[in-house]
Amino acid sequence: MQARQAGVDVKNKGVKFDAVYVSHMRRARQTCEIALNISQSLKSPDIPVQIDYRISEKSFGIFAGRNLVNQ
């Protein structure tokens, strides 16, 4: 539902993309695909969604949001 709403929001704002980069992670790719399909926001249908392995989520479990200062 959030991906669909993001697509609607992008469409309503009239945003158009020259390029799209997404993480290799499945959920990120699915979210991107849903949002792009709804928004129709690519400047050209020939623009490929590029998977970039440098973009990645990391889960740190109970340590999320903490740093060495917050011990």
Side-chain angles (χ1 to χ4, degrees), residues 23-42:
S23 165
H24 68 283
M25 301 180 95
R26 183 181 331 145
R27 185 181 65 221
R29 292 190 327 263
Q30 290 170 337
T31 300
C32 178
E33 182 179 318
I34 292 166
L36 284 176
N37 284 338
I38 289 179
S39 68
Q40 298 296 305
S41 60
L42 294 177

Side-chain angles (χ1 to χ4, degrees), residues 28-65:
R29 292 190 327 263
Q30 290 170 337
T31 300
C32 178
E33 182 179 318
I34 292 166
L36 284 176
N37 284 338
I38 289 179
S39 68
Q40 298 296 305
S41 60
L42 294 177
K43 285 190 176 178
S44 166
D46 299 331
I47 296 173
V49 173
Q50 298 183 37
I51 295 173
D52 191 328
Y53 287 88
R54 296 172 295 177
I55 304 170
S56 183
E57 297 176 26
K58 303 272 191 250
S59 174
F60 294 100
I62 63 170
F63 300 105

Side-chain angles (χ1 to χ4, degrees), residues 3-29:
R4 285 191 289 276
Q5 185 59 53
V8 169
D9 292 343
V10 168
K11 186 174 189 168
N12 289 341
K13 290 180 189 265
V15 175
K16 294 291 183 180
F17 297 105
D18 293 316
V20 176
Y21 298 88
V22 68
S23 165
H24 68 283
M25 301 180 95
R26 183 181 331 145
R27 185 181 65 221
R29 292 190 327 263

